[in-house]
Amino acid sequence: MGKYFTLILVLVLCSKLSVAQQSYTEHTIQKGESVYKISRQYGVHVNAIFELNPGSRDVIYAGNVLRIPNSSNTTGTSSNTVITENKISNYIVKRGETKIGLSRRFGVSITMLEQQNPHIVSMLQADHVINVDKSIEEIKPVAKEGEHYVVKGETLWGIARENGISVAQLEAANSDRLSEFLQIGQTLIIPDKVSIDTSSDEYIVQRGDTKFSLAKRFNMSISELESKNPHTVPMLMAGHRLKINDSEIGFDPEAPSDAIEVTEMTEVTDVTETKPDSSLSTTNYKNYVIEPKETLFSLSQKAGMTIEELTNLNPKLLTAVIAGDIIKMPIGVSGTTVNTSSSAGTNDTTDTVATADSNNEDSTTKIYSNKNEVLFANLDTETSNGIYFYTPFSRQELSSPEERQKMISINSEFQKYIDFFQGSQVAIDSAKALNLNFDVTLIKKNIAKSNITIESPHNKNAILVPFSDTSTTFPSIDSNAPISIIDIESNIESSDSITVYKSIPSETTQITKTLNYLAQKNSNVIVISDLDEARHKDLISNALPEAKFLKVDNAGFFKSDALEKVLNKNRLNHIVFDSDKTIVLLNTTTALMGKLSNHNIQLVMLESSLLPKQSEVSDMRYRILQLIFPSTSNPQNKIDITDFENKYEDLYSAKPTRHAILGFNVTFDILLRISQDSSPDNLLNTTRSEQPHLKFDYQKTTDKTFLNTGIYLMQYNSNEGMTELQQ
């Protein structure tokens, strides 16, 4: 009888399961459809669709499949919940839902959501009850004097520009309220509009102030100024409160500026020629030949003009100060002059480039020394070294806006070379400020040549090769002195005549570093992919032989109980996500967050390129799942990054592109390394270094090849934002 009863029970359960499995219809999403529109089409509640398709709360894609429950099986969110086009009543918040998700779902702003539900302002929690009446007009917050209320679409750059201040000033005044991203609805302090009472012993830094001018104004050295105000050591910012302790303060309006100026943010423009000021008469100027070692600063001093006036008169100086170039200078300035009919010279295979100098006592370059103590401690400023750039441009083409534009019109890819060299120019200026001694030479790329002969007077030399075509074989090098090839995304193969240093870490390096970290943790590793074979299965299996592989469907759904079976309640579970589909990430992370109450889970990505844009996936998911991912740059190194960006914008009135960032970081690092007081054989592979964006840790892979393995391993933290993991 007992067996018979058990059989009946099993049959009943199977029958219910069969009914449950057939209680939905599959709908292929069409372009322009929304979850709400689909729910109306099938006569079901949107919540019922969300429950069967978790990732659809954030985004859906045409071509993907949604599971639509049969209308007879849907009961809505709760028995008391009512959702219409104009009103939401008694909606109960579910675990994993966010304010931004609810605002999109209900078609209201987060501000309206919070105004009508003040209990969610501090934090949205599961089981909160939401009521929204769309007929009630949203109350627009009014910012107080000296404040700014952030609305949708605004950026820090736009707010700073609107208020006539720099981004650095805005960030300094709001350091206690700015997180990684600007938030809609938050209030920012505008430093120039905040009235601050100062005593005779204090001074509030104004826009345009510099350490040099302030030190002179208050009759002290820069070292004394920094000693009394250590918060200004990394960077002087508008709004900083300085301790002066000197009641007799004089003001010198003619005090010169130093290297760290508090400047206004300028409008981002293309790299184009600046038209000379029409008020500058050409009859009072002569043609002047730039001499070796002359700089923009020294030329402006010699001309008795400001740098802005000199560059308006000679737009080519905005790109570089090149020895031998002809510029206009006031009559009476000593130096070599030429007639207007004279030729500027022929274009040789190699062109020597003189670069901008800086003799200011206060150089921001010292910021970078904090992380490169070994390099800075062993600099040789007496011996001259050689730096070469392998480029499609000649000296004349690179320095002429017309020639550059002509080449870009032929091949738009040339723009990245221009950006790279502009970043390199900032690095060269910074290195000159350290009194490093080097000569810079351009080698014009010529695919017809299979050999480059270099007669160098230097014992240490390096050729930087950015973005060379992979289809082009790099020429062999005949040099009378040791020389190293610095590969910047060029895929150069080493040979008997050349040693190659690959300066940008590869994707394989990112993957290997991340896997090696996981191997040290003795965790339960689960690899999730939407393919039959994970893309990096061989690398993963070699590093983590006990890793489990789990496949999801194209929408990111697991088979019944598949995830539960591989998770371990007694160990840390590292979930390695190996897919580039956003919908798969959304549904997978939703499933993982549902398991957090009983399991210790951390999400892992092996490549930074797999991270979707923030507009597609909220980083709150990453914080909840404590995402671990590799990165070639350090997103926390904001001081050094801001310093570089300010310098770049001062020179080129534009924000640096990725290629300009590479130009600065690689060039500055190589200039430090090549200037070490060591033998040429010990040139690049002896010291780890860290520049504003990139880390450099060259490791020997073959006799003639060195690979930069400098990778940051980052982890999202729910409380602190993001931290760097120790490898």
Side-chain angles (χ1 to χ4, degrees), residues 112 116 132-139:
M112 176 180 283
Q116 298 191 30
V132 178
D133 186 347
K134 297 182 183 179
S135 64
I136 299 176
E137 187 175 351
E138 178 181 330
I139 302 173

PDB file of all heavy atoms in Angstrom, residues 112 116 132-139:
ATOM      1  N   MET A 112      11.718  61.910  -8.910  1.00  0.00           N
ATOM      2  CA  MET A 112      10.281  61.751  -8.629  1.00  0.00           C
ATOM      3  C   MET A 112      10.043  60.516  -7.763  1.00  0.00           C
ATOM      4  O   MET A 112       9.216  60.542  -6.843  1.00  0.00           O
ATOM      5  CB  MET A 112       9.491  61.640  -9.934  1.00  0.00           C
ATOM      6  CG  MET A 112       8.000  61.385  -9.711  1.00  0.00           C
ATOM      7  SD  MET A 112       7.042  61.239 -11.242  1.00  0.00           S
ATOM      8  CE  MET A 112       6.929  62.963 -11.712  1.00  0.00           C
ATOM      9  N   GLN A 116       8.260  61.007  -3.952  1.00  0.00           N
ATOM     10  CA  GLN A 116       6.992  60.409  -3.561  1.00  0.00           C
ATOM     11  C   GLN A 116       7.173  59.204  -2.630  1.00  0.00           C
ATOM     12  O   GLN A 116       6.193  58.684  -2.098  1.00  0.00           O
ATOM     13  CB  GLN A 116       6.202  60.000  -4.805  1.00  0.00           C
ATOM     14  CG  GLN A 116       5.837  61.180  -5.692  1.00  0.00           C
ATOM     15  CD  GLN A 116       4.838  60.821  -6.766  1.00  0.00           C
ATOM     16  OE1 GLN A 116       4.006  59.925  -6.588  1.00  0.00           O
ATOM     17  NE2 GLN A 116       4.889  61.534  -7.883  1.00  0.00           N
ATOM     18  N   VAL A 132       3.633  55.614  -6.841  1.00  0.00           N
ATOM     19  CA  VAL A 132       3.991  56.731  -7.713  1.00  0.00           C
ATOM     20  C   VAL A 132       2.751  57.211  -8.457  1.00  0.00           C
ATOM     21  O   VAL A 132       2.031  56.411  -9.069  1.00  0.00           O
ATOM     22  CB  VAL A 132       5.078  56.340  -8.736  1.00  0.00           C
ATOM     23  CG1 VAL A 132       5.375  57.522  -9.655  1.00  0.00           C
ATOM     24  CG2 VAL A 132       6.329  55.875  -8.044  1.00  0.00           C
ATOM     25  N   ASP A 133       2.511  58.509  -8.392  1.00  0.00           N
ATOM     26  CA  ASP A 133       1.432  59.135  -9.143  1.00  0.00           C
ATOM     27  C   ASP A 133       2.070  60.080 -10.162  1.00  0.00           C
ATOM     28  O   ASP A 133       2.623  61.132  -9.813  1.00  0.00           O
ATOM     29  CB  ASP A 133       0.507  59.908  -8.220  1.00  0.00           C
ATOM     30  CG  ASP A 133      -0.726  60.452  -8.948  1.00  0.00           C
ATOM     31  OD1 ASP A 133      -0.726  60.439 -10.199  1.00  0.00           O
ATOM     32  OD2 ASP A 133      -1.668  60.882  -8.265  1.00  0.00           O
ATOM     33  N   LYS A 134       2.037  59.691 -11.447  1.00  0.00           N
ATOM     34  CA  LYS A 134       2.721  60.465 -12.481  1.00  0.00           C
ATOM     35  C   LYS A 134       2.040  61.806 -12.759  1.00  0.00           C
ATOM     36  O   LYS A 134       2.640  62.669 -13.406  1.00  0.00           O
ATOM     37  CB  LYS A 134       2.800  59.654 -13.775  1.00  0.00           C
ATOM     38  CG  LYS A 134       3.622  58.382 -13.653  1.00  0.00           C
ATOM     39  CD  LYS A 134       3.706  57.653 -14.990  1.00  0.00           C
ATOM     40  CE  LYS A 134       4.463  56.351 -14.861  1.00  0.00           C
ATOM     41  NZ  LYS A 134       4.535  55.604 -16.145  1.00  0.00           N
ATOM     42  N   SER A 135       0.823  61.960 -12.293  1.00  0.00           N
ATOM     43  CA  SER A 135       0.130  63.233 -12.512  1.00  0.00           C
ATOM     44  C   SER A 135       0.651  64.332 -11.598  1.00  0.00           C
ATOM     45  O   SER A 135       0.427  65.519 -11.827  1.00  0.00           O
ATOM     46  CB  SER A 135      -1.378  63.059 -12.300  1.00  0.00           C
ATOM     47  OG  SER A 135      -1.651  62.700 -10.936  1.00  0.00           O
ATOM     48  N   ILE A 136       1.362  63.934 -10.529  1.00  0.00           N
ATOM     49  CA  ILE A 136       1.955  64.913  -9.612  1.00  0.00           C
ATOM     50  C   ILE A 136       3.259  65.423 -10.224  1.00  0.00           C
ATOM     51  O   ILE A 136       4.152  64.642 -10.559  1.00  0.00           O
ATOM     52  CB  ILE A 136       2.235  64.288  -8.235  1.00  0.00           C
ATOM     53  CG1 ILE A 136       0.925  63.799  -7.603  1.00  0.00           C
ATOM     54  CG2 ILE A 136       2.936  65.290  -7.322  1.00  0.00           C
ATOM     55  CD1 ILE A 136       1.112  63.084  -6.282  1.00  0.00           C
ATOM     56  N   GLU A 137       3.357  66.712 -10.388  1.00  0.00           N
ATOM     57  CA  GLU A 137       4.525  67.306 -11.039  1.00  0.00           C
ATOM     58  C   GLU A 137       5.763  67.162 -10.165  1.00  0.00           C
ATOM     59  O   GLU A 137       5.715  67.369  -8.946  1.00  0.00           O
ATOM     60  CB  GLU A 137       4.271  68.781 -11.336  1.00  0.00           C
ATOM     61  CG  GLU A 137       5.375  69.422 -12.163  1.00  0.00           C
ATOM     62  CD  GLU A 137       5.032  70.850 -12.536  1.00  0.00           C
ATOM     63  OE1 GLU A 137       3.880  71.266 -12.289  1.00  0.00           O
ATOM     64  OE2 GLU A 137       5.922  71.549 -13.069  1.00  0.00           O
ATOM     65  N   GLU A 138       6.851  66.788 -10.803  1.00  0.00           N
ATOM     66  CA  GLU A 138       8.121  66.632 -10.078  1.00  0.00           C
ATOM     67  C   GLU A 138       8.627  67.998  -9.620  1.00  0.00           C
ATOM     68  O   GLU A 138       8.634  68.968 -10.376  1.00  0.00           O
ATOM     69  CB  GLU A 138       9.164  65.982 -10.988  1.00  0.00           C
ATOM     70  CG  GLU A 138      10.525  65.815 -10.350  1.00  0.00           C
ATOM     71  CD  GLU A 138      11.516  65.185 -11.316  1.00  0.00           C
ATOM     72  OE1 GLU A 138      11.081  64.395 -12.174  1.00  0.00           O
ATOM     73  OE2 GLU A 138      12.719  65.491 -11.204  1.00  0.00           O
ATOM     74  N   ILE A 139       9.059  68.058  -8.372  1.00  0.00           N
ATOM     75  CA  ILE A 139       9.583  69.308  -7.812  1.00  0.00           C
ATOM     76  C   ILE A 139      11.065  69.401  -8.158  1.00  0.00           C
ATOM     77  O   ILE A 139      11.873  68.554  -7.762  1.00  0.00           O
ATOM     78  CB  ILE A 139       9.402  69.354  -6.285  1.00  0.00           C
ATOM     79  CG1 ILE A 139       7.921  69.208  -5.917  1.00  0.00           C
ATOM     80  CG2 ILE A 139       9.983  70.640  -5.714  1.00  0.00           C
ATOM     81  CD1 ILE A 139       7.680  69.073  -4.438  1.00  0.00           C
TER      82      ILE A 139
END
